[in-house]
Amino acid sequence: MKNQAPPIVTELTKVYPKKVAQRRTEQIVVNQRQTDGSTPAIKANVRTLPGIITQRGCTYAGCKGVVIGPSRDILSITHGPVGCGFYSWLTRRNQTRPPTLVHENFITYCLTTDMQEENIVFGGEKKLKQAVREAYTHFKPKAIAIFSTCPVGLIGDDVHAVARAMKEELGINVFGFSCEGYRGVSQSAGHHIANNALFKNVIGLDETVHEEKFKINLLGEYNIGGDGFVIEDLMRRCGIKQVATFSGNSDYKSMANSHVVDLNLVMCHRSINYVAEMMEKKFGIPWIKVNFIGAEATSKSLRKIGEYFGDEGLTARIEQVIAEEMPAIEAARTEARSHCEGKTAMLFVGGSRAHHYQVLFKELGMRILAAGYEFGHRDDYEGRKVLPTIKVDADSKNIEELTVEPDPIRYRPRKSEEELEKLAADAELELRDYIGMMPEMNDGELVIDDISEYETEKLIETYKPDIFCAGIKEKFAIQKAGVPSKQLHSYDYGGPYAGYEGAINFYREIDRMLHIKAYSYLSAPWQSSPPELKAAVAD
Ligand code: CFM
């Protein structure tokens, strides 16, 4: 017999038709950690149920907007109707800083083939070729990326054939993505498609040698609100050479050169774990999971890098940087904590952030009531240990799994098997591992996958959290319910929130948001308007 759903799950789903309620119940879990570290299974990365108002985005968004978009000198062309290009134009706060004014920065441009009915009927390949030629004439980029939108897949335009032809004709790197919006159940599919194409078309093309001793790539950091700048600075101060970032504040050459490092750091597991795994298979570069959100997490991540390289000088520099940063952290945290302790938060973000930001709230002494991902997979919730048990459904099969072999010349294991075993024995290091969000949440806390708008409102009504973190789509509905809402996608207009500097910004921001008095000084127009108007409004 099936267990009875916990009362809150029944409460959240009781308005749904029976079948929908049943299926939503599998995506709403009350956390309960077992002694072996396992947590309840949650259903994730499945199609949103019809009738549910989801916060998810499309596959094209995950590929173009998230993974490739932040790279400043790969020229992106959207093959499709103008809306897809327009609505993905500068909508994510991924910042970039070209080293000089003459360095290219195409991020501000929006290039699209602007498909018309005629192209839908007779095909759009000719128009796409023309667009690539025009783009090349204007910008002379090193690389052009072509992104497919829904109609491209429906009518069968072969963007890859066009890319090959244009690469030949123009003599630059041109590659395409079959990232039609409908290709997967969410933007997560787009991440995978982008990872595959980077791996096939970019990584390993540049053999620049770096003399520095400790070389890393940072994978899954997109420099939202300047987070990437803060992390770059920390690396520099610790004496760590950051060759490439995928893909915040990045350029094409560094990505092409990224196979020369000795360690990959995975920040956002959801969007980029595929690249980490493929680079290890092909080039022998191990990866570890890091999190630079939260002061404690930042210190832990820096120490993990120290542990991996096992060099005294590096460890000493890392400890020195931590020691330099901690007094300011302590002061800001003590101040904010004295106001925020005991307050409650809910976090619903796309993939990694619903997990990463819990650290910052805990540093403020706040309690997490509920958290969830829009499109995370079970391994993001429960940890990579569940990977072998995840059933591959038809939607996941839709996304190509590359077969990767060791490179005959360039495969070079960075550590011996023995060394790796030793490192892997330290579970905290998370070598080739991600322990997931739920094992780090307390028992009784709610975990909800692909939360609906209705459930959001119901949660607020039931729990009255002190702050609800989400995105722009949810923000105003939450605030109208009288609860402050911090956007954890775009950071509203704030940030950076990464590293130590970011943690201080975040403590202050949350303190301010929780204690803002402005609304209590205001009254709604109908509360202060003349009686006639009041009566009219009442009608
Ligand atoms: Fe990774 Fe991201 Fe996130 Fe993400 Fe995103 Fe984002 Fe996000 Mo918005 S890559 S999964 S697809 S950490 S854009 S920078 S905030 S949903 S939680």
Side-chain angles (χ1 to χ4, degrees), residues 287-290 300 304 355 423-424 426-436 440:
W287 64 273
I288 57 172
K289 174 73 181 68
V290 293
K300 190 172 158 192
K304 282 181 180 191
H355 179 197
L423 288 169
D426 176 2
E428 290 253 303
L429 184 67
E430 290 178 282
L431 179 76
R432 305 173 177 133
D433 196 16
Y434 173 38
I435 63 169
E440 296 203 330

Side-chain angles (χ1 to χ4, degrees), residues 57-298:
C58 70
T59 300
Y60 160 80
C63 181
K64 191 247 184 191
V66 174
V67 179
I68 310 293
S71 184
R72 74 174 86 90
D73 59 356
I74 297 177
L75 192 66
S76 295
I77 301 181
T78 297
H79 186 33
V82 72
C84 301
F86 181 80
Y87 287 109
S88 59
W89 182 23
L90 293 181
T91 44
R92 191 159 171 254
R93 290 185 67 231
N94 45 269
Q95 301 184 2
T96 201
R97 193 183 280 154
T100 70
L101 285 177
V102 290
H103 279 81
E104 292 149 328
N105 178 10
F106 303 134
I107 281 183
T108 48
Y109 293 98
C110 172
L111 278 78
T112 167
T113 50
D114 182 20
M115 278 176 120
Q116 302 292 319
E117 252 175 51
E118 189 196 321
N119 311 120
I120 303 288
V121 177
F122 298 107
E125 291 181 14
K126 245 168 123 183
K127 194 171 190 184
L128 175 60
K129 278 189 185 165
Q130 196 47 38
V132 175
R133 278 189 201 107
E134 261 178 52
Y136 179 74
T137 314
H138 287 298
F139 297 100
K140 297 278 175 343
K142 302 175 192 73
I144 293 181
I146 303 166
F147 300 93
S148 305
T149 57
C150 293
V152 172
L154 296 176
I155 65 172
D157 272 1
D158 187 344
V159 296
H160 305 285
V162 171
R164 280 193 299 273
M166 297 319 291
K167 187 174 178 176
E168 182 85 31
E169 183 181 315
L170 303 173
I172 60 162
N173 198 355
V174 185
F175 42 91
F177 298 83
S178 292
C179 58
E180 293 84 356
Y182 62 77
R183 182 68 68 172
V185 301
S186 70
Q187 55 266 63
S188 166
H191 303 150
H192 196 164
I193 292 164
N195 281 218
N196 287 350
L198 281 174
F199 191 72
K200 283 200 284 195
N201 301 300
V202 180
I203 296 169
L205 293 182
D206 182 294
E207 295 295 347
T208 304
V209 176
H210 304 275
E211 296 306 330
E212 291 87 346
K213 211 164 154 197
F214 312 109
K215 295 181 283 287
I216 56 108
N217 295 317
L218 181 56
L219 310 184
E221 164 49 56
Y222 301 96
N223 202 20
I224 309 297
D227 278 354
F229 296 143
V230 174
I231 303 171
E232 282 173 20
D233 187 53
L234 278 176
M235 293 296 160
R236 190 187 48 73
R237 286 166 57 200
C238 292
I240 298 163
K241 169 75 182 169
Q242 191 170 334
V243 172
T245 308
F246 288 73
S247 53
N249 193 32
S250 70
D251 60 10
Y252 172 72
K253 188 174 156 48
S254 63
M255 288 176 160
N257 184 227
S258 59
H259 63 296
V260 302
V261 305
D262 296 318
L263 174 66
N264 273 324
L265 307 178
V266 173
M267 174 87 173
C268 169
H269 174 263
R270 181 64 272 131
S271 63
I272 204 101
N273 72 90
Y274 320 94
V275 160
E277 279 195 282
M278 292 190 287
M279 282 180 86
E280 175 149 29
K281 281 190 191 145
K282 187 167 177 182
F283 301 108
I285 307 164
W287 64 273
I288 57 172
K289 174 73 181 68
V290 293
N291 173 22
F292 290 105
I293 301 297
E296 302 304 333
T298 299

